[in-house]
Amino acid sequence: TGTGGTSYAWSTGATTTAIMVTPATTSTYTVTVTNANGCTASATTTITVNPLPTPGITVAETSGIANNDGIICNGATATLTGTGGTSYAWSTGATTAAIMVTPAATTTYTVTVTNANSCTASTTTTITVNPLPTPGITVTETSGIANNDGIICNGATATLTGTGGTSYAWSTGATTAATMVTPATTSTYTVTVTNANGCTASTTTTITVNPLPTYN
């Protein structure tokens, strides 16, 4: 805003008392002021332009197929770390450089980064959440009163087949979808099922073993 006269001529070409400027770099502006007697004088001012920060977000997580790719399984946690400034404000309300998030669904996070000159800029990252598999175990056996009920006679064999995923890990150490067991006593078996997204979930089944009759 020019002062000291009745009319004003700016180096930008403007002739109003006040002008608005948005310089991309540090710039000097001159105003020529004319008073009521038609006399003129000039003054200059410099607007110094500081750069914005270059905001960034690094993602750290060990869930799913690949680490640190921002694709996690439901229930997993990712650490988001803002970079490029001296202070940080997250869309979650956090104000630390690093935050831990456990989204239930795919979520976008924004960080506003402030540098030493109090200039700000923002960036976003998306954490993609893949569902867990729905693990299951089917039991196949022909021992005892009813078939496939998980109740067998001592010495009989049951086939346990995992379902719901693309790979399977059994508490017996087997890694095939189907495994055969011949427990001597009632036993519980666990299968950990992994789906195509590298997400895992587990389930259990119990095979009840009834004793054989005793002959005299």
Side-chain angles (χ1 to χ4, degrees):
T1 302
T3 61
T6 56
S7 64
Y8 303 88
W10 292 91
S11 53
T12 63
T15 56
T16 53
T17 303
I19 64 172
M20 295 179 69
V21 295
T22 310
T25 59
T26 296
S27 301
T28 298
Y29 299 90
T30 301
V31 65
T32 300
V33 179
T34 302
N35 65 14
N37 296 315
C39 298
T40 62
S42 297
T44 63
T45 192
T46 297
I47 301 299
T48 301
V49 179
N50 286 321
L52 300 180
T54 302
I57 300 173
T58 61
V59 177
E61 46 80 15
T62 57
S63 180
I65 295 173
N67 293 346
N68 309 326
D69 62 354
I71 303 172
I72 65 173
C73 301
N74 199 334
T77 295
T79 299
L80 312 181
T81 303
T83 61
T86 56
S87 65
Y88 303 88
W90 292 90
S91 51
T92 63
T95 56
T96 52
I99 64 172
M100 295 178 71
V101 296
T102 309
T106 296
T107 304
T108 297
Y109 298 91
T110 301
V111 65
T112 300
V113 177
T114 303
N115 64 13
N117 296 314
S118 294
C119 297
T120 62
S122 298
T123 190
T124 62
T125 194
T126 297
I127 300 299
T128 301
V129 179
N130 284 322
L132 301 182
T134 302
I137 300 173
T138 61
V139 177
T140 305
E141 47 79 15
T142 57
S143 178
I145 294 173
N147 293 344
N148 309 325
D149 63 354
I151 303 172
I152 65 174
C153 299
N154 198 334
T157 296
T159 299
L160 312 180
T161 303
T163 61
T166 56
S167 64
Y168 303 87
W170 292 92
S171 52
T172 61
T175 56
T176 51
T179 184
M180 296 178 69
V181 295
T182 309
T185 58
T186 296
S187 300
T188 297
Y189 299 91
T190 301
V191 66
T192 300
V193 177
T194 303
N195 64 15
N197 296 314
C199 299
T200 62
S202 297
T203 191
T204 62
T205 193
T206 298
I207 300 299
T208 301
V209 179
N210 286 324
L212 299 180
T214 302
Y215 296 96
N216 293 324

